[in-house]
Structure formats: structure tokens, C-alpha cells
Amino acid sequence: MKKRVTKAIFPVAGLGTRFLPATKSIPKEILCLVDKPLIQYAIDEARDAGIEEFIFVTSRGKGALEDYFDGAPQLEQSLKAKGKDDLLDILMKSTMDSGEIAYVRQREALGLGHAVWCARRLIADEPFAVILTDDVIASEKPVLKQMVDAHENTGGNIVAAMEVAPNKASSYGLLDIKEDMGSLVSVKGMVEKPKPEDAPSNLAVIGRYILTPQILNNLDTQERGAGGEIQLTDAIAKEIENSDNVYGFRFEGQRYDCGSKAGFLQATVAYGLARGDLSAEFMDFLVEAVESRRAAQ
Ligand code: UTP
């Protein structure tokens, strides 16, 4: 019988330099879309997909993240006393139960593959998910849940994939497609940030993965890849050679790259417009702002 996916790794040890100076003192994952930190979107998605153990790979300066998940007894008391049940509910949803969250340190930012490898002892011998909080995906069915359901049929390794504009493809890990079955593609190769002339397709890997523990063994060699970093893509590519069980999954949903300023702004607008309590006022503002900007050009 296939093992259920109950553990997820959240690599949050990167330096977040694209958001300096904010990230000098605030972890990127605490930045908010409207009023919810990026990390909370990722946790909610993981929980909806059946994840029970949440493993954070952190680094120096990420203490605010650990505090974020703690109980806040004073605040709870105060909201309770004032009968502010809606706010209390929101607060309690951000509090993690004792023992369901674990932190491991990545001492040096040596790359995403290295960050995932740092969690190897907590994964042991079962499939696991990896979620990059930078990628926020608005969808009816949470994307990790879409992938867990697909994994029940395929087993093996599944990476979330989406078509990107050919001129942007070189910023991603790209899939070399063996067989295109629609939402699922079987994969015969994978390459991280190739030169445009070496791109095998424009089907790009984005930040959701379901992986087998063999990937962690593949990372043991600590080989450096693109950009001098230890790349998760390379460890997955090795698994294609070893066991031929890697699939790309075209998810349903709108993905925002919140690791970039433009993507973060787009997500802020989209999530702001989607909020019933804000949309009317926000839309009026946006229309006016765009019109006056156009007029000034
Ligand atoms: P990025 O490539 O976006 O790097 O990492 P970054 O440091 O977060 O941001 P910039 O580019 O400096 O602005 C993708 C994901 O991998 C994690 C990051 O935290 C992010 O979630 N990561 C990356 C690590 O945990 N460790 C690393 O060594 C590298």
C-alpha cells in the first residue's frame, strides 16, 4: 500500500535579498498579502492536503517566524473578554499545536536542495511534500491537494509545473517531456535555469513537490549546480535516471511569484480584489489610480 503524504518541508532559510531593506529584519515569509503572511497561505494549503507534520528549514534571523506560530495568551484573553470571536478565530488558526511543527537549521544558504536535505532525519522513509512559500497559488482546490490526489495514482515524484513565456523560461527549472498526458506529464529530464538555447521545453517547475525519500539520498553528494548552489532540480533529475518515476503536474490555479516585487504586487491586487470586505473600495481606487497614471503619461 502507498504511504500517505503527511509531512511537508518549508524551506525558509533563503536570504530574501530581493525584498531588502524589509528583509533586513523581517523574514520574507512574514510579508503579508492583505492581512495574512505568506507562510500562513502555505500552512493552510498543506493542512488542506492532509499534512500533519510541518518542518521548517530556517536560518539566522528567522525568529519572528517561530513566534508567529506560538500561542498568544494575552491577546487571546483580551479578544475573549471583549467577545471578539471572529478575530479570536483568525488568531487561533495561526497557532500551531505543540509537536506538529519542527524547526531545523540550515547553517549556510547553500541552495534549495541543501535546505531540503537538512530535514532528512525528520523525513525517514516516506514520501514528503515541499512547499515554497514564495509561490502563492489561488485555486478552488488547493494545489497540494490536487497533487496528493494525483500521487495516489502515480506514486513516485511529482513536481508542480506550468507553461511560462519562452523569454522567462531560463529563470526556472524546466521539464524535458517524455509523454504528455494532459495534466500529468512523464519526464525524461530536468534542468535548472538552462541557457535559452538549451531549454528542453517551456514547462517550468514551480514551488510544490511531492518527493520520495530517495531524493534525499541523491542530495548526499552535495554537488553544486546552477549558480553554484546545491539544486533540488538536480537531485530529482538523478531520480529520473535511477528509477524513471518523475512526473510534472499541470495544476489548476493562478500562481503568483511572491519572491519577486512585481509578483508580490500582483498578488496583493488580486487578493485585495477577491476580498468581499475590501473589493468595492479597492477597485474604485485602482481604476482611478490607473486612469490618472495614464493621463499623466
Ligand atoms: P530563492 O531563490 O527565492 O532565494 O529561494 P531567497 O534567498 O529566498 O530570495 P532572494 O532571491 O535572495 O530574494 C527559493 C526558496 O528556497 C529557500 C528560500 O527561503 C525560498 O523559500 N532557500 C533557498 C533556502 O531555504 N535555502 C537556501 O539556501 C536557498
Side-chain angles (χ1 to χ4, degrees), residues 68-98:
Y68 174 77
F69 290 118
D70 252 342
Q74 261 186 336
L75 198 50
E76 284 165 31
Q77 282 301 330
S78 153
L79 294 175
K80 229 179 254 170
K82 290 177 186 154
K84 296 192 170 173
D85 294 342
D86 292 358
L87 290 178
L88 189 61
D89 193 42
I90 291 171
L91 183 69
M92 296 317 288
K93 278 193 186 130
S94 72
T95 306
M96 304 292 275
D97 277 344
S98 298

Side-chain angles (χ1 to χ4, degrees), residues 23-267:
T23 44
K24 195 174 158 196
S25 65
I26 306 168
K28 177 169 65 173
E29 300 74 23
I30 294 281
L31 297 178
C32 287
L33 294 179
V34 190
D35 49 13
K36 200 158 95 169
L38 295 181
I39 194 67
Q40 189 68 53
Y41 287 92
I43 292 282
D44 291 348
E45 184 181 330
R47 219 187 266 291
D48 285 344
I51 298 299
E52 294 163 6
E53 287 180 58
F54 303 80
I55 301 165
F56 283 75
V57 183
T58 68
S59 58
R60 180 174 295 277
K62 300 278 179 168
L65 264 178
E66 300 191 16
D67 291 344
Y68 174 77
F69 290 118
D70 252 342
Q74 261 186 336
L75 198 50
E76 284 165 31
Q77 282 301 330
S78 153
L79 294 175
K80 229 179 254 170
K82 290 177 186 154
K84 296 192 170 173
D85 294 342
D86 292 358
L87 290 178
L88 189 61
D89 193 42
I90 291 171
L91 183 69
M92 296 317 288
K93 278 193 186 130
S94 72
T95 306
M96 304 292 275
D97 277 344
S98 298
E100 68 174 354
I101 191 161
Y103 300 94
V104 291
R105 282 270 175 160
Q106 184 188 29
R107 254 175 50 184
E108 218 184 320
L110 296 178
L112 176 59
H114 183 261
V116 169
W117 178 80
C118 288
R120 65 200 177 283
R121 292 198 175 87
L122 297 175
I123 295 297
D125 189 26
E126 51 193 290
F128 60 97
V130 176
I131 297 191
L132 303 190
T133 53
D134 284 357
D135 283 328
V136 176
I137 310 171
S139 59
E140 226 161 83
K141 180 173 172 181
V143 170
L144 193 66
K145 174 70 176 145
Q146 296 176 30
M147 293 173 70
V148 163
D149 288 351
H151 183 258
E152 273 171 20
N153 297 321
T154 60
N157 299 277
I158 301 192
V159 299
M162 63 183 267
E163 261 84 21
V164 294
N167 64 344
K168 298 255 169 76
S170 293
S171 326
Y172 291 87
L174 298 175
L175 299 179
D176 194 355
I177 298 168
K178 185 163 80 177
E179 192 188 347
D180 198 328
M181 298 167 276
S183 61
L184 265 186
V185 299
S186 64
V187 171
K188 63 177 179 213
M190 220 171 138
V191 49
E192 185 65 32
K193 299 187 179 68
K195 291 191 196 124
E197 61 271 26
D198 298 331
S201 72
N202 64 339
L203 191 56
V205 176
I206 62 111
R208 301 287 184 278
Y209 308 78
I210 293 178
L211 301 175
T212 56
Q214 284 76 19
I215 299 294
L216 299 170
N217 300 337
N218 297 350
L219 285 163
D220 279 342
T221 57
Q222 309 270 294
E223 262 169 63
R224 308 280 180 132
E229 297 193 345
I230 299 170
Q231 297 286 357
L232 186 58
T233 302
D234 295 343
I236 302 171
K238 204 178 274 179
E239 206 45 33
I240 299 170
E241 288 162 30
N242 292 346
S243 63
D244 192 24
N245 65 357
V246 178
Y247 302 89
F249 178 75
R250 288 192 183 94
F251 56 91
E252 280 172 25
Q254 174 66 47
R255 172 252 186 184
Y256 299 95
D257 175 10
C258 293
S260 78
K261 286 188 260 267
F264 190 89
L265 285 171
Q266 287 158 18

